[in-house]
Amino acid sequence: MSNVRGEFSSRFGFIMAAAGSAVGLGNIWGFPTQTASNGGAAFVLAYLVLAFCLAYPALMAELVIGRHGQANAVSSLQKLTTSPWQKKFAFFVGFGGIICAGLILSFYAIVAGWMFSATIEPITAITSMDNATLWLSEQSLTRDIIFTGLFIVLTVLIISKGVENGIEKWSKRLMPALLGILFALIAYVMTQEGAVTGLKAYLVPDFSSILNPELLVNALGQAFFSLSLGTSVMIIYGSYISKRENLVSLGAFVTLIDVFIAFVAGLLIIPAMYVAQAQGVEIFAADGSLLSEDTLVFQVLPALFDSMGDIGLFVGFAFFALMSIAALTSSISMLEAPVSYAVEKFALGRVQATWIIGALVSLVSLTILLNFAALFGFVVSITTKFGQPLLGMLCCVFVGWLWHRGKLLKEISEGCEQVEHTVFWKIWPWYIRFVCPVAIAAVFLNSL
Ligand code: TRP
């Protein structure tokens, strides 16, 4: 089977794909709105510390498991085990991650569908297709079903093309486009009145709130979601990395890019909120707290775009196109997790497996859409607040406790011969053994 497995063709290709998975709605929407509702710059600081001190080591654990296993998540984890109970445990973690990735995709596709329809709306507005514009702007079940379906089909089309011609090729195209749009929008917003006030709220921390447990829980959850951890996605991506590559620096690159883009997205969104305020849009709720989450993206920002006159249509289009691209490079990684498992486990063809799993995910999305109030928040919490931290922690346990240290060193040394003498190797194995599981468990228990 191994000779039909794909592999990333270049270092740049892997970095774009893994960063594409990491950079998504979590960075451009989640991070700024969390920052806005968790006290501004103090949250940014906590996030930076947690991303580098807990999420990066956990990311390394997943990448190294995958590259060693050269297989889907379940088989890669099982390769590290020696006894039957350990094999069951490996199945639980690997398969749990795959289910988690599928469930995340099912709600992510709904949100991404909203982004698609918001991208098209300015086009119908410019071309005076008034009925279409009205239909796109009003929440309806039909609209949501159509755009969620469209998003899943696009994801399926990319994934069915495989690693090099699908994931890598599209990530290499979409990620630079995303960066370009992001910087163009920032440049524009900075010229507007109110931007500087927003910049201060974003960058000047109020240290009194930094040890607030809720802030820490939110920051860790955000860091895990953002690096796509605990869902076997990074195990799979790790399995497509060549043995010649230096894993330690690849993982560091991906973390840096992810954190950088979240930070830069904050430079856009938070000042944009204050620009909106300067133009008369409400950004504070009655109790004085900042409006956030969906109100921010679907009311505050569109109100800002409206107030700009005709150019607002272009800015709105660029903004939602940015969101859609970010969502797509992430969703392909979520779909790859179950697809790679199905292909290797049931000996299905890739195209067939991708369409079958795409159909299953669509069914779950449809169920969520039909019972939106009851299910949407529930699926989000269960996957991102429970599944991801728990499974991410268990991956650390695998590497720290079940994997023989000499063998671990051998795997890490491939592509990085001197690793034994680096600070990384002096700290990381112990760190992943004790610090990561305990810290993640503490934060996790706190969130209960
Ligand atoms: N990291 C992505 C974001 O920030 C979301 C994401 C992609 C993800 N793949 C994932 C989250 C796998 C959890 C699991 O939006």
Side-chain angles (χ1 to χ4, degrees):
M1 205 72 203
S2 66
N3 54 345
V4 300
R5 290 197 96 241
E7 187 173 285
F8 290 112
S9 71
S10 67
R11 194 177 162 79
F12 179 69
F14 167 76
I15 293 177
M16 286 299 105
S21 165
V23 174
L25 300 176
N27 300 60
I28 302 176
W29 179 0
F31 177 75
T33 51
Q34 291 253 22
T35 303
S37 45
N38 281 286
F43 181 85
V44 179
L45 202 62
Y47 176 78
L48 291 179
V49 172
L50 290 174
F52 287 109
C53 295
L54 284 178
Y56 167 65
L59 170 68
M60 283 309 300
E62 296 195 17
L63 289 179
V64 76
I65 292 173
R67 197 182 61 172
H68 176 259
Q70 295 288 311
N72 66 79
V74 173
S75 312
S76 290
L77 283 162
Q78 285 184 335
K79 248 180 215 172
L80 306 179
T81 59
T82 46
S83 66
W85 75 265
Q86 288 181 355
K87 286 226 176 330
K88 288 210 183 92
F89 181 43
F91 179 81
F92 171 78
V93 175
F95 196 71
I98 289 170
I99 298 289
C100 197
L103 285 175
I104 291 180
L105 178 56
S106 68
F107 76 74
Y108 208 80
I110 296 176
V111 181
W114 298 336
M115 301 298 165
F116 269 11
S117 75
T119 310
I120 299 177
E121 203 187 309
I123 304 178
T124 57
I126 289 174
T127 50
S128 309
M129 295 163 63
D130 297 339
N131 289 337
T133 310
L134 190 67
W135 181 75
L136 287 167
S137 67
E138 278 176 355
Q139 169 106 39
S140 70
L141 194 58
T142 338
R143 184 199 72 173
D144 287 352
I145 292 176
I146 291 176
F147 282 98
T148 303
L150 189 66
F151 183 78
I152 294 179
V153 167
L154 264 184
T155 308
V156 163
L157 287 176
I158 295 180
I159 282 299
S160 64
K161 296 230 174 293
V163 180
E164 200 182 327
N165 290 319
I167 303 177
E168 181 171 347
K169 185 160 151 196
W170 281 95
S171 303
K172 282 200 291 203
R173 289 179 181 167
L174 294 174
M175 287 299 287
L178 180 140
L179 264 185
I181 300 178
L182 191 56
F183 281 112
L185 281 169
I186 292 179
Y188 179 76
V189 165
M190 284 303 155
T191 63
Q192 304 292 303
E193 192 193 330
V196 176
T197 323
L199 213 51
K200 278 200 193 122
Y202 184 49
L203 297 177
V204 183
D206 162 15
F207 286 104
S208 62
S209 55
I210 196 142
L211 290 177
N212 175 351
E214 199 179 318
L215 183 147
L216 293 176
V217 171
N218 290 339
L220 187 69
Q222 176 63 31
F224 263 64
F225 184 76
S226 195
L227 277 175
S228 315
L229 296 177
T231 54
S232 80
V233 163
M234 289 300 176
I235 299 185
I236 309 294
Y237 275 25
S239 76
Y240 299 140
I241 303 176
S242 140
K243 297 271 186 194
R244 290 184 306 277
E245 298 291 355
N246 178 337
L247 271 190
V248 179
S249 70
L250 278 182
F253 255 118
V254 172
T255 311
L256 275 174
I257 295 180
D258 183 51
V259 168
F260 174 74
I261 302 240
F263 183 77
V264 172
L267 287 178
L268 169 67
I269 305 279
I270 311 270
M273 292 172 68
Y274 284 81
V275 171
Q277 189 188 35
Q279 304 198 352
V281 179
E282 297 232 4
I283 65 167
F284 290 101
D287 65 356
S289 63
L290 277 172
L291 291 179
S292 64
E293 318 242 326
D294 48 341
T295 9
L296 174 63
V297 171
F298 291 109
Q299 287 171 18
V300 174
L301 295 178
L304 172 67
F305 304 146
D306 278 348
S307 69
M308 292 172 175
D310 284 346
I311 187 159
L313 288 174
F314 291 99
V315 179
F317 169 77
F319 176 76
F320 286 108
L322 170 83
M323 291 288 221
S324 304
I325 293 174
L328 194 57
T329 57
S330 293
S331 67
I332 54 184
S333 74
M334 296 172 203
L335 185 58
E336 180 64 15
V339 165
S340 63
Y341 180 71
V343 167
E344 291 174 11
K345 177 86 187 171
F346 306 114
L348 288 174
R350 181 172 254 278
V351 176
Q352 197 184 7
T354 314
W355 281 103
I356 293 174
I357 291 169
L360 288 176
V361 170
S362 309
L363 277 182
V364 180
S365 297
L366 186 63
T367 314
I368 297 178
L369 276 172
L370 291 173
N371 304 279
F372 195 82
L375 286 183
F376 185 78
F378 175 73
V379 177
V380 173
S381 307
I382 204 153
T383 49
T384 63
K385 290 206 175 122
F386 298 91
Q388 285 197 281
L390 195 67
L391 296 168
M393 179 182 83
L394 293 177
C395 285
C396 295
V397 170
F398 258 92
V399 174
W401 294 90
L402 298 182
W403 200 345
H404 186 275
R405 239 177 94 139
K407 292 188 183 145
L408 173 60
L409 176 61
K410 183 162 170 285
E411 180 58 49
I412 294 253
S413 308
E414 304 234 26
C416 180
E417 279 146 35
Q418 300 303 321
V419 76
E420 209 174 338
H421 309 292
T422 59
V423 187
F424 178 81
W425 183 254
K426 295 210 168 69
I427 299 176
W428 182 72
W430 291 104
Y431 203 83
I432 209 85
R433 222 173 169 177
F434 299 105
V435 181
C436 287
V438 172
I440 298 170
V443 172
F444 175 67
L445 290 177
N446 216 320
S447 72
L448 299 181

